[in-house]
Amino acid sequence: LRMEFEQSPIQGVILIKPKVFGDNRGLFVETWQKERYEEIGITYPFVQDNHSRSVYGVLRGLHYQREHAQGKLVSVSLGSVYDVAVDIRPDSPTFGKWYGVELSAENQWQLWIEPGLAHGFAVTSETAHFHYKCTDYYFPQYEAGIHFADPDLAIDWKISSPVLSEKDKVAPSFKQFCRALGL
């Protein structure tokens, strides 16, 4: 078996624990294999890979696209992050709930976040290299977000004094997101 997986409490969010082969030379891990991932329900085609480098305390999120929703398979190759998916699908039984997990170079875990969820992460190490395979392209005109510190979501990001982009500082609340959907 080359990986273990755990279905999170949110449908469509899967924690993947690939088999890591290590010795005195380093390590090898299979980060994607179409047939194996299809067996656990990840059947979307991937069209874009992204890599970001951030320093301790950087928080990116919570992001989503209003159209062309992106599924993401995320992992960390250096350092560690606290990674969070928020269910923003109004018809979902876990609407408004979130799931978080530490992803690190040490554990080599991945998180699958299917299209239709918001995503963010906070860097918990000195530096982190974060990777994500996406099921759709980035369209800046459809980019949207929800405020990371929304009290209705009450996410524990595992850091204090986050470093944010200007757009993340002014992202709307979860209540504003719901009102925009007519909920």
Side-chain angles (χ1 to χ4, degrees), residues 6-8 10 12-18 37 42 46 71-76 81-86 99-103 107-114 117-121 130-133:
E6 298 172 10
Q7 174 61 56
S8 80
I10 297 174
V13 178
I14 303 171
L15 179 62
I16 301 163
K17 299 177 178 180
Y37 284 69
I42 302 172
F46 289 104
K72 297 175 181 175
L73 180 64
V74 300
S75 62
V76 172
V81 306
Y82 189 68
D83 198 72
V84 173
V86 178
Y99 173 78
V101 65
E102 182 187 54
L103 303 178
N107 66 27
Q108 290 292 310
W109 293 352
Q110 300 173 320
L111 193 64
W112 163 246
I113 304 156
E114 76 176 20
L117 287 95
H119 172 254
F121 66 91
F130 188 83
H131 305 271
Y132 37 115
K133 296 180 79 59

Side-chain angles (χ1 to χ4, degrees), residues 35-50:
E35 290 177 357
R36 239 183 297 287
Y37 284 69
E38 284 178 346
E39 289 173 9
I40 63 170
I42 302 172
T43 58
Y44 296 87
F46 289 104
V47 300
Q48 181 174 326
D49 283 9
N50 301 318

